[in-house]
Amino acid sequence: MLETRLVSSLEKVGICGEPTELNKDYTFSVLLGETISFQIAYRESDKEKVSEYHLNKEVVRVHETDGVHEKLQEMEAPGIRVRRVLPVMCRYSCNPESWDEDYLFRDSRMAPDLLRDIGEESLTAGEEWQSLWVDITPGQGQLPGNYRVSVSLKPADGGKETECCADVRVIDSVLPPLSIPHTEWFHFDGIVNYYKVGAFTEEFWKIFKNFLEVYVRRGGNMIYVPVLTPPLDTGVGLERTTIQLVDVEVSGDKYCFDFSNLERFLDICLADGITYFEICHLFTQWGAAAAPKVEAKVNGERKKIFGWDTPSDAPEYLHFLGELLPALKGVLAGRGLLPQTFFHISDEPDLSSAHYQTAQKAVRSLLEGCTIMEAVSDYEYYEKGLVDIPVCAVNHIEPFLEKHTPGLWSYFCCAQTVEVPNRFISMPSRRNRIYGILMYWHEISGFLHWGFNFYNSALSKEQIDPYETVDAGGTFPAGDAFLVYPGENGVPEESIRLMVQEEAISDYRALCALESRIGRDKVLELIRQEAGMELSFRQYPKTDGFILSLRDKVNRLLMEKGN
C-alpha cells in the first residue's frame, strides 16, 4: 500500500527521516501571476515491496460553505504542473572548514534537487521516501476562489488508486512585477559546450531562448551581456570557450565593430521580458591584472588579439576600449537602453591593486554618465568612489547597512557558508527562501548571483557534466554553480533551489504589494511580530513555520485590502 503525505516546498524529502506533514486543514494561498509549490511525499508502506505507479491528476473547483466542500461544475482552474524530484550526487556538500549547524548534511550523499516532468513512465515506490513536486500558477485572468487539487497515483497492476489532495485559495490580487534588478550570471559557453553548437548559430539562439524563458519566468530581469568573452572563473593562462557578441576587425590602428549579434541578443531579451543589462567585465577577475580574451579578424584571419599576456594597462588594449566603449554606448543609447545598463571593471577587485586603480582611471572617462557596479566586500571601495553601486556579500554587508549606503545590492556564493542565507543543496530550503524577506527588511536595491548555468570546473580547467557533478569538480559546495540542468532538446530542467528562490522573490513582491496598501512601517511590524525579533542577514527565525505563516498573513491582508 502506498503511503503519502502533503508537505511544503521547503521540505527536502528523504534527507531527514520522516517528512513533516502539513495539517489536514491547511490551505495554500496564491496571488494572481505567481507560482506556489508543494510536494507529495510517498513511499511503499510494505518495506519488502517495490511497486510501480502511474500519475493521474485532475483539478476541480470547489465552493466552501460553513467548512463543507460542495463540488460545483468544473470551471477554469489554476495551471498545474507535476514533476518528479530526483536525487543528485553531492560529493563536496559544504566547505569542511567553514560551516554551521544549520545544514541538513555535510557528508557526500545523494540528495533531492533535480525536477523532471513526468511522461508515460511509471513511478517506482519502495521503502525510502520520495516526492512529487506540484506547481500552481493561476493566470491573471483566473477566477478567484477555492480549488482542490487532487493528484492520484494508480498502481501499474490495476489496484486501487491513492489520492492526495491540497486546498488552494486563489486571491483576487495581482502579484506586482519585481521592482529591483535580479541577475544570475548567464554562462553562454555552458550552452555551446554541453550541446555542441556553435556560438550564435541558429541552433544556439534556439537553445538560448529556451534557457532565457526559464530565467525570466523564475524572476530574472537583468542579464549578463558577453560583449567580449567574460573573464570570469578562468585560471591564469587558461581560456574559456569564445563567447563574443561583438565582431571585431582590425584595420591598421583602427577597429571596426559589427554589432549584429548584439542587436539580435537585445531583441530576444527585450521580447522575453529582460529589463536591465549588465555588460561583461572589461578586465580579469580579482584585481584587473590583464585584458579579457578578445578575438578579431586580422588580414582576413580570425585570431586572438588580447588575453592573459596583455597587461591591463597596455596602451593597445586601452586604445581598443577607447574605440569599443563609445561605439557600444552609441548602440545602447540608440535603443534607449543606456539608463538601464550597468558596467563592470573587475569582479571582486583587490583595493591595493595598482592594476585596478589604473583600469578605473582608464575607463571612467569613457563611461561618463554610465553606472559602474562591482561585487565588493570592503566599504572603502564605495567610500573612495571606485564603484557607483556596491554589490556586497551578505556576510560582509553590515558596514554598508550601518552607513545606509544608497542603492546597495547584495549577493552570496560559495564563500557565504556560516549563518547567512544561501542555496547549497546541503542547506534547508528555508535558508534560500528567507532571502526575499531579508532583502525587503534591509531595502536591498538589487540581487546578484554568479551561477545560473556554470557547467565548468573551478577556474574553468575543464568542462563538466552537471548531471554527474554539481560541485564544479569538487570545489564549490554542491548547488552553488548552477540552478538549471541542461535537459534534452535544448530545454533546461529546473531545480528545487530555483523554485524555492522564485518563492523568495515572490515573497519580496508580495511584501512590496502590501506596503503599497498599508505602508512600510506596518509591514515591518508584521514581520517583527511574526519573527519575535529584529532581523539581520545573520539572525532570523530558523524555522519553516515562520516563512509560511508570515506569507499566509500577508496574503490574508492583501485579500482584505483588495486591489
Side-chain angles (χ1 to χ4, degrees):
M1 180 178 176
L2 194 67
E3 180 182 357
T4 63
R5 294 183 187 180
L6 184 68
V7 300
S8 82
S9 61
L10 301 181
E11 191 91 13
K12 291 192 175 179
V13 176
I15 292 294
C16 298
E18 300 287 322
T20 304
E21 187 169 21
L22 294 169
N23 293 332
K24 298 295 184 183
D25 59 350
Y26 188 89
T27 299
F28 296 92
S29 61
V30 57
L31 305 186
L32 301 176
E34 79 167 313
T35 295
I36 62 165
S37 305
F38 61 86
Q39 296 175 86
I40 298 171
Y42 65 92
R43 70 174 177 182
E44 185 61 60
S45 57
D46 183 348
K47 294 184 179 181
E48 303 300 321
K49 185 177 181 182
V50 176
S51 304
E52 300 290 322
Y53 290 84
H54 293 286
L55 176 68
N56 176 29
K57 74 171 187 287
E58 66 169 350
V59 184
V60 296
R61 190 176 191 276
V62 299
H63 173 68
E64 287 189 9
T65 305
D66 297 328
V68 178
H69 292 287
E70 178 186 347
K71 185 173 180 180
L72 301 180
Q73 182 179 0
E74 188 170 342
M75 300 175 67
E76 181 185 3
I80 308 294
R81 185 181 187 184
V82 182
R83 289 178 282 182
R84 298 174 63 192
V85 179
L86 298 177
V88 296
M89 183 62 202
C90 303
R91 295 180 179 85
Y92 189 82
S93 297
C94 69
N95 185 336
E97 298 176 353
S98 179
W99 51 272
D100 58 33
E101 295 300 325
D102 197 23
Y103 282 72
L104 297 175
F105 59 93
R106 299 192 303 273
D107 56 350
S108 297
R109 66 168 69 186
M110 300 290 289
D113 188 59
L114 171 62
L115 301 179
R116 177 163 293 167
D117 285 306
I118 302 171
E120 298 302 318
E121 75 275 13
S122 60
L123 306 175
T124 301
E127 65 175 312
E128 301 295 332
W129 283 105
Q130 303 178 67
S131 69
L132 298 176
W133 188 273
V134 184
D135 298 322
I136 311 291
T137 310
Q140 294 195 9
Q142 172 67 47
L143 289 173
N146 297 296
Y147 294 81
R148 170 157 288 183
V149 178
S150 175
V151 178
S152 296
L153 292 171
K154 183 176 182 179
D157 60 11
K160 184 179 179 180
E161 287 191 6
T162 300
E163 183 179 62
C164 189
C165 298
D167 290 327
V168 179
R169 180 183 300 113
V170 177
I171 297 173
D172 191 15
S173 182
V174 177
L175 192 70
L178 181 63
S179 59
I180 60 174
H182 168 208
T183 181
E184 304 275 338
W185 285 352
F186 201 111
H187 297 271
F188 298 83
D189 60 343
I191 291 176
V192 170
N193 296 336
Y194 187 84
Y195 291 104
K196 310 300 181 188
V197 297
F200 315 126
T201 60
E202 290 304 314
E203 187 63 20
F204 169 88
W205 290 119
K206 177 183 176 182
I207 298 172
F208 169 63
K209 288 179 183 179
N210 292 338
F211 274 70
L212 184 65
E213 192 273 332
V214 171
Y215 182 86
V216 173
R217 187 197 322 146
R218 302 306 178 200
N221 60 8
M222 179 179 189
I223 195 162
Y224 194 78
V225 185
V227 173
L228 305 173
T229 298
L232 298 171
D233 295 281
T234 309
V236 176
L238 301 180
E239 292 185 7
R240 289 177 66 168
T241 300
T242 299
I243 301 292
Q244 181 178 314
L245 277 171
V246 178
D247 287 329
V248 181
E249 185 169 356
V250 179
S251 179
D253 62 349
K254 297 290 184 181
Y255 297 95
C256 298
F257 303 108
D258 183 347
F259 292 101
S260 300
N261 285 327
L262 175 62
E263 295 276 16
R264 184 170 183 179
F265 172 84
L266 295 174
D267 288 341
I268 293 171
C269 291
L270 290 168
D272 227 14
I274 293 294
T275 307
Y276 307 96
F277 296 90
E278 180 186 7
I279 304 302
C280 64
H281 299 75
L282 301 174
F283 299 88
T284 52
Q285 205 166 15
W286 308 305
K293 178 171 65 170
V294 180
E295 292 187 353
K297 187 178 290 185
V298 182
N299 297 324
E301 180 184 355
R302 187 179 178 94
K303 58 185 292 188
K304 183 173 70 174
I305 59 172
F306 302 119
W308 278 112
D309 57 350
T310 309
S312 56
D313 59 356
E316 59 270 24
Y317 181 62
L318 298 181
H319 172 65
F320 169 77
L321 290 180
E323 293 201 25
L324 173 64
L325 292 180
L328 174 61
K329 288 171 60 179
V331 171
L332 296 169
R335 300 183 62 126
L337 297 177
L338 203 52
Q340 60 256 43
T341 299
F342 300 75
F343 290 80
H344 288 288
I345 293 174
S346 175
D347 186 45
E348 283 288 2
D350 179 356
L351 190 60
S352 63
S353 168
H355 293 294
Y356 183 73
Q357 295 176 30
T358 300
Q360 270 274 346
K361 293 176 183 177
V363 301
R364 268 286 176 181
S365 60
L366 297 172
L367 295 177
E368 185 176 357
C370 300
T371 303
I372 296 176
M373 62 184 286
E374 219 76 276
V376 297
S377 299
D378 190 330
Y379 185 78
E380 195 175 351
Y381 281 100
Y382 180 75
E383 201 169 41
K384 289 180 175 292
L386 296 176
V387 60
D388 302 319
I389 293 180
V391 185
C392 188
V394 290
N395 58 333
H396 294 289
I397 204 168
E398 286 86 356
F400 292 84
L401 293 172
E402 290 168 1
K403 296 177 182 180
H404 305 286
T405 306
L408 176 64
W409 288 36
S410 63
Y411 81 91
F412 51 77
C413 66
C414 58
Q416 286 61 61
T417 59
V418 177
E419 296 180 329
V420 294
N422 213 316
R423 63 190 193 203
F424 304 152
I425 296 174
S426 58
M427 288 180 169
S429 285
R430 56 178 160 74
R431 199 160 171 173
N432 180 353
R433 186 165 172 180
I434 192 66
Y435 196 52
I437 298 169
L438 293 177
M439 285 197 300
Y440 178 84
W441 180 274
H442 290 295
E443 295 185 277
I444 298 299
S445 297
F447 168 31
L448 179 151
H449 193 282
W450 77 278
F452 182 69
N453 63 324
F454 181 74
Y455 302 147
N456 291 341
S457 65
L459 299 180
S460 298
K461 294 180 179 179
E462 59 183 1
Q463 299 161 21
I464 59 100
D465 180 348
Y467 288 99
E468 298 294 331
T469 305
V470 297
D471 51 23
T475 306
F476 303 141
D480 182 49
F482 59 84
L483 282 172
V484 293
Y485 295 80
E488 293 180 357
N489 302 315
V491 178
E493 295 187 297
E494 297 173 318
S495 64
I496 288 177
R497 293 166 294 113
L498 178 60
M499 299 306 299
V500 171
Q501 180 175 281
E502 183 190 12
E503 290 188 316
I505 293 169
S506 293
D507 292 342
Y508 176 92
R509 295 163 66 188
L511 290 167
C512 290
L514 185 59
E515 177 183 323
S516 70
R517 300 177 196 184
I518 68 173
R520 179 170 171 82
D521 288 345
K522 290 183 178 179
V523 176
L524 291 178
E525 184 58 28
L526 173 66
I527 298 172
R528 188 179 292 112
Q529 289 180 356
E530 197 66 25
M533 65 171 73
E534 298 291 314
L535 303 188
S536 74
F537 278 106
R538 293 181 183 274
Q539 293 186 333
Y540 47 86
K542 294 179 172 58
T543 64
D544 296 356
F546 162 67
I547 298 172
L548 297 175
S549 177
L550 174 63
R551 182 58 201 276
D552 182 64
K553 290 185 177 180
V554 168
N555 285 0
R556 290 177 182 274
L557 286 170
L558 288 171
M559 186 167 58
E560 290 174 7
K561 301 298 178 181
N563 285 312

